[in-house]
Amino acid sequence: MNKKWTPIAFLCVALCVVASLVLFGCASPGKGVRSAGTFAQTFARGAVAADHEMASQAGAQMLAMGGNAVDAAVAASFTLSVVRPYSCGIGGGGFMVIYLPDDPTHGFVSTAINYRETAPYDQSVAASGISMSNGRYSVAVPGTVAGLLYALEHYGTLDRETVMAPAITAAYDGFVVDESFYRAAMGLHEKYTKNPGLQTSHMRMPWEKFALFGRVKIGDRIENPEHARALELIARDGLDAFTQGQIGQAIVDALAHKAKRRIRGGGITLDDLAGYTPIEMQPIETTIAGKGFIGMPPPSSGGVTMFEILKIMQAKGHNFSDAKLKNASVHVMIEAIKHSFADRARYLADPEFADVPVDELLDEENIRRLAASIGTSVKPSQEYGTHEPLVDDAGTSHVSVVDPFGGAVAMTETINHAFGSRVGVEPFGFVLNNEMDDFTHPSARPNGFGLVQSKKNMPEVGKHPLSSMSPTIVLDEDGQVIAVAGASGGPRIITSTTQVLLNVLGGMDAGQAVAMPRLHHQWLPDELRFESGYNIHILNVLGNPLRGYGHHITDRNVSAIGNVQLIVRDPDGKGWQAACDPRKGGRPAGID
Ligand code: GLY
């Protein structure tokens, strides 16, 4: 470089770094932590892929301190509660799949923790005409704090104060509004502008704090000291702070607010909160394409549905080692998706309340039968199953983690729709979920997305609503982790995670695998959607009845089908390729 220019160039670079720190709120990622700055990066020893950079960094800080994948996942989750308040948080619930093949503290662990929300009322209340989609009757008993603390206590290695510290700092110091936050906030603003009645019919959330109602701008900094206070209380007093202490009382008050105005009683009680218990479950394990897959069992539909899709493809002779899209294989994948989603709608629910035939659905004979029924043309919808479709959402977040001990966590959490129920627990700066909308409404009234589900999924006290969340870990023949994945996006979680894992099996690196355009079908409604940029030749053949298979394509320009957070073992031994879906703007972080 010309010497004369060196100081100027140096100054420019320095200014750019400062500007990006200011714009994107990148505080130092922490000692020993490397933060990617791009959506995909390779890390030598451990990695965290969350849909916000600060959450990835929080997790990686735990790895740098010697913590394991569970410590990292818990730290990332509490931080997401601050920086992605429309996607997940302490007012919601989730699932965590843990695989620690050789943890220095816990030895071998393969388990799944269900901390999904539960119903506080049953179908008779639901049948009385209340809204299970919005407002206080849409709120199910939150499980996130109980689940995270359970995971930390049983499978983590660091203390509560340590893993919660980054989240508390993030809440006090603030985070910067990025495009994803902006879109979520403006989406809500638009909804409320179109229907001003909604504003008064719901409890208020901390609107001002989240700078909604059209005033939010990309680059604004949002601090949330009330939420920091909630996290401090949980760090100090544990679960009791959330279920019995000031936070629990604030939740009950937020939901009872209308009763004071003598409109109607109800909501969640302190007993509901205290009675909530996370459930440790055996994950679903299966072998596909010679690899071990570990997924979440019901009440998640994610593991069963994804494995059914992949197994049907396998039975049809799919070449998993080739990621190149071909007309015939994309057609088979769509048909496998439709069969599996039809089964999801008909058979899946909370196994503690309904008979859920997981083994039968994944049984080789059932898979062969379904595979044999797939021909070259599309069938009428009713030939895939009976009429029981499902829901969509925007309020979910996934975190993938690998640690230096070979351990992995796939964790997906949700408050259901963007900003959940929109009921805010104002003194503590967070919103409550609207997970009741994931149940089937007794009137068979379609949910917020015009869809219904099966009777098995009707609300009952203590029941978990059926979920699409699909946290997944893939192992090699020796039981070592080769991929960790999961997504947000309602039913698109299942299709997007499936397609990304197909890309990984086909040899793509993590960045390519998440960036590739995707498709979505969920059996009913009979609508096939493609992201813009999808292979146009395939799209034309599949959609043209004269040339191809007669699929009913309704959209060729979807901007995002799911948001996948992925970690893949580098085939050249360089460590871990981590990729945060560019559709939501996350950045991975890790340790070398
Ligand atoms: N609320 C999204 C899901 O659990 O599927």
Side-chain angles (χ1 to χ4, degrees), residues 331-506:
H331 166 72
V332 167
M333 177 173 71
I334 297 165
E335 293 299 285
I337 287 171
K338 286 154 73 176
H339 278 294
S340 306
F341 269 75
D343 284 346
R344 177 206 189 273
R346 181 166 179 187
Y347 296 112
L348 299 187
D350 186 344
E352 290 199 17
F353 288 79
D355 184 26
V356 180
V358 172
D359 292 342
E360 289 82 343
L361 289 174
L362 296 180
D363 178 73
E364 293 306 328
E365 198 168 317
N366 185 48
I367 297 293
R368 270 198 299 276
R369 181 183 62 81
L370 293 173
S373 77
I374 296 177
T376 50
S377 57
V378 173
K379 298 172 285 194
S381 296
Q382 65 273 17
E383 289 190 23
Y384 299 84
T386 48
H387 178 267
E388 305 279 13
L390 68 150
V391 297
D392 195 355
D393 79 33
T396 303
S397 183
H398 177 82
V399 180
S400 292
V401 186
V402 290
D403 68 25
F405 317 111
V409 167
M411 171 179 74
T412 316
E413 299 183 333
T414 185
I415 50 173
N416 199 22
H417 295 168
F419 292 105
S421 60
R422 294 135 202 167
V423 176
V425 183
E426 290 189 60
F428 291 105
F430 68 96
V431 283
L432 292 164
N433 68 83
N434 68 328
E435 223 65 57
M436 292 302 290
D437 192 59
D438 271 348
F439 281 115
T440 308
H441 198 284
S443 67
R445 180 197 312 147
N447 67 10
F449 297 89
L451 301 167
V452 294
Q453 303 186 93
S454 92
K455 279 193 174 138
K456 289 187 178 199
N457 187 38
M458 299 256 255
E460 294 177 63
V461 176
K463 187 173 180 177
H464 306 87
L466 185 61
S467 170
S468 297
M469 295 189 287
S470 313
T472 308
I473 299 174
V474 187
L475 309 179
D476 67 13
E477 297 74 4
D478 300 323
Q480 301 300 311
V481 175
I482 50 175
V484 187
S488 51
R492 295 170 178 83
I493 291 172
I494 298 172
T495 46
S496 57
T497 308
T498 303
Q499 287 167 88
V500 166
L501 286 175
L502 282 168
N503 292 341
V504 170
L505 294 175

Side-chain angles (χ1 to χ4, degrees), residues 10-263:
F10 179 77
L11 189 65
C12 288
V13 170
L15 281 175
C16 285
V17 170
V18 171
S20 67
L21 284 176
V22 170
L23 188 59
F24 299 110
C26 313
S28 156
K31 196 162 176 288
V33 171
R34 186 158 58 84
S35 194
T38 61
F39 80 93
Q41 187 64 259
T42 300
F43 302 92
R45 294 177 57 239
V48 184
D51 63 25
H52 194 287
E53 180 174 36
M54 289 166 74
S56 297
Q57 290 174 358
Q61 278 171 33
M62 301 305 118
L63 299 181
M65 292 166 74
N68 68 7
V70 176
D71 299 312
V74 173
S77 170
F78 277 119
T79 305
L80 285 168
S81 188
V82 179
V83 298
R84 288 287 187 235
Y86 52 93
S87 296
C88 58
I90 64 172
F95 299 130
M96 193 186 294
V97 176
I98 302 173
Y99 182 74
L100 311 175
D102 193 15
D103 189 77
T105 308
H106 302 289
F108 178 86
V109 175
S110 178
T111 193
I113 300 173
N114 166 11
Y115 51 101
R116 178 113 168 119
E117 304 91 323
T118 53
Y121 58 81
D122 65 14
Q123 26 184 305
S124 61
V125 178
S128 70
I130 57 164
S131 168
M132 287 164 63
S133 307
N134 295 298
R136 75 194 154 125
Y137 282 105
S138 69
V139 181
V141 182
T144 291
V145 176
L148 294 178
L149 297 187
Y150 179 95
L152 186 66
E153 186 186 337
H154 290 83
Y155 300 111
T157 65
L158 301 175
D159 60 58
R160 208 164 56 220
E161 290 78 5
T162 304
V163 297
M164 294 186 70
I168 294 167
T169 305
Y172 276 127
D173 292 357
F175 62 96
V176 173
V177 171
D178 63 359
E179 202 185 320
S180 171
F181 187 104
Y182 175 79
R183 268 187 288 154
M186 293 312 285
L188 193 58
H189 171 61
E190 202 172 300
K191 187 169 178 161
Y192 276 34
T193 309
K194 279 192 196 137
N195 186 357
L198 280 178
Q199 288 179 37
T200 47
S201 66
H202 295 169
M203 300 323 129
R204 290 175 63 82
M205 62 171 277
W207 305 115
E208 299 301 323
K209 186 178 323 305
F210 295 135
L212 301 177
F213 292 121
R215 290 198 296 278
V216 67
K217 294 190 304 302
I218 291 177
D220 286 352
R221 180 170 287 276
I222 294 184
E223 290 156 13
N224 193 343
E226 292 87 350
H227 201 41
R229 185 77 194 118
L231 297 170
E232 280 174 339
L233 288 172
I234 296 166
R236 192 189 72 190
D237 299 338
L239 183 58
D240 284 356
F242 187 77
T243 56
Q244 295 164 40
Q246 297 172 45
I247 308 172
Q249 192 56 55
I251 292 171
V252 172
D253 291 348
L255 294 169
H257 181 67
K258 273 195 179 170
K260 286 186 200 148
R261 293 198 217 143
R262 287 181 305 207
I263 292 176

Side-chain angles (χ1 to χ4, degrees), residues 554-568:
T554 51
D555 199 337
R556 296 162 168 246
N557 283 310
V558 181
S559 58
I561 289 177
N563 292 286
V564 180
Q565 317 305 323
L566 172 72
I567 300 179
V568 177

